[in-house]
Amino acid sequence: MSPKSGRPWRTAAVLAPVAVAAAHIAPAATWLPGVRLPLFPRLAGLGGGRHIALTFDDGPDPESTPHFLDALDELGVRATFFLLGEHMVRHSAMVRETARRGHELAVHGWTHERPWRPAPARDAEQITRTVRALRDISGHRPHWYRPPYGILTSGRWLAARRAGLRPVLWSAWGRDWTADATPASVRARIAADLRGGGTVLLHDSDRLAAPGCWRAALGALPGLVRDCREAGLSVGPLRDHGLTPQG
């Protein structure tokens, strides 16, 4: 074989890993609102026009989650909680209490890792493991999946779909995980992006964020719900949002 004839094979060997990595991470572009909202509205959680889906990530947390459950009871609102598997098995009583109070349970993954390297087998194992743990602890089969950090890769998407889950991100968030977040800042940030049919992202835990930041989200809840109701919008979980679990 001449040197020239070997060049295509060497080029292919170099480009193949690049192509695999690109295919892996390309769906993560949906993290950007400018991509997600106009091009993938269902992934952004856009549902029924007069309904707001209220969602929480990163629990369960025995220190903070009970405060959210009490506040939601007082407001007469149910929400969807995206749970981490490693926390579920440590705090199974909190998972059952969340379900007992009428809230919807969904999958946030087993851990809260960033998925920069392709690992489809790991993605499938972790999502399946989380689905099984949630079902065994609560008796409920989950329908929704939100990847940690909102980073949806091809491996995570495929693993979720094979597990019978529909990926859902959000259309409005409160940036409530930051050290300088306040109830007023969280409420204002959500209000800037909130429209009928939107999905709101908040967090009921500070394990992966600034210590104590969950209090900003908690403090914003009454005003947020009041804003929605004054605008003629109902607030509830994703199951009431007009999205089909496997659509």
Side-chain angles (χ1 to χ4, degrees):
M1 179 183 293
S2 68
K4 287 185 178 181
S5 64
R7 286 176 185 171
W9 293 103
R10 289 196 296 271
T11 301
V14 171
L15 293 180
V18 175
V20 170
H24 164 71
I25 205 64
T30 57
W31 186 90
L32 299 169
V35 174
R36 182 171 72 253
L37 291 168
L39 300 180
F40 304 97
R42 294 299 187 181
L43 179 60
L46 296 181
R50 307 309 298 171
H51 186 265
I52 299 298
L54 180 61
T55 69
F56 295 91
D57 285 7
D58 295 354
D61 188 325
E63 178 181 350
S64 52
T65 301
H67 295 281
F68 286 87
L69 298 182
D70 290 344
L72 292 168
D73 276 351
E74 292 178 8
L75 293 165
V77 169
R78 299 294 171 261
T80 299
F81 286 80
F82 285 88
L83 308 179
L84 289 167
E86 64 176 357
H87 297 164
M88 279 195 290
V89 296
R90 293 174 189 163
H91 310 294
S92 57
M94 192 76 262
V95 176
R96 288 189 288 269
E97 178 64 9
T98 302
R100 187 190 70 79
R101 298 209 196 184
H103 300 288
E104 184 177 36
L105 308 181
V107 171
H108 198 32
W110 189 259
T111 64
H112 209 275
E113 297 176 336
R114 287 185 173 90
W116 300 131
R117 295 182 179 179
R122 180 200 62 196
D123 293 334
E125 188 276 332
Q126 291 197 353
I127 289 177
T128 300
R129 186 182 180 191
T130 308
V131 169
R132 186 182 305 117
L134 195 158
R135 187 178 59 236
D136 290 347
I137 292 170
S138 70
H140 294 270
R141 183 188 179 282
H143 297 295
W144 317 104
Y145 169 67
R146 178 176 291 154
Y149 301 104
I151 300 173
L152 186 63
T153 63
S154 59
R156 285 179 165 183
W157 183 87
L158 183 59
R161 299 299 282 181
R162 285 178 172 172
L165 303 175
R166 177 171 183 159
V168 177
L169 300 182
W170 61 87
S171 61
W173 64 4
R175 294 189 64 86
D176 52 319
W177 64 89
T178 62
D180 59 351
T182 65
S185 73
V186 171
R187 182 180 174 187
R189 179 71 188 230
I190 291 173
D193 296 324
L194 195 59
R195 304 289 185 276
T199 291
V200 172
L201 164 62
L202 292 171
H203 298 79
D204 62 310
S205 174
D206 62 359
R207 283 199 189 96
L208 300 154
C213 63
W214 60 267
R215 291 182 172 85
L218 182 67
L221 273 180
L224 169 62
V225 172
R226 184 167 59 250
D227 290 345
C228 292
R229 287 173 172 167
E230 289 178 353
L233 303 173
S234 61
V235 181
L238 280 167
R239 66 183 174 222
D240 299 335
H241 201 48
L243 297 175
T244 56
Q246 276 284 22

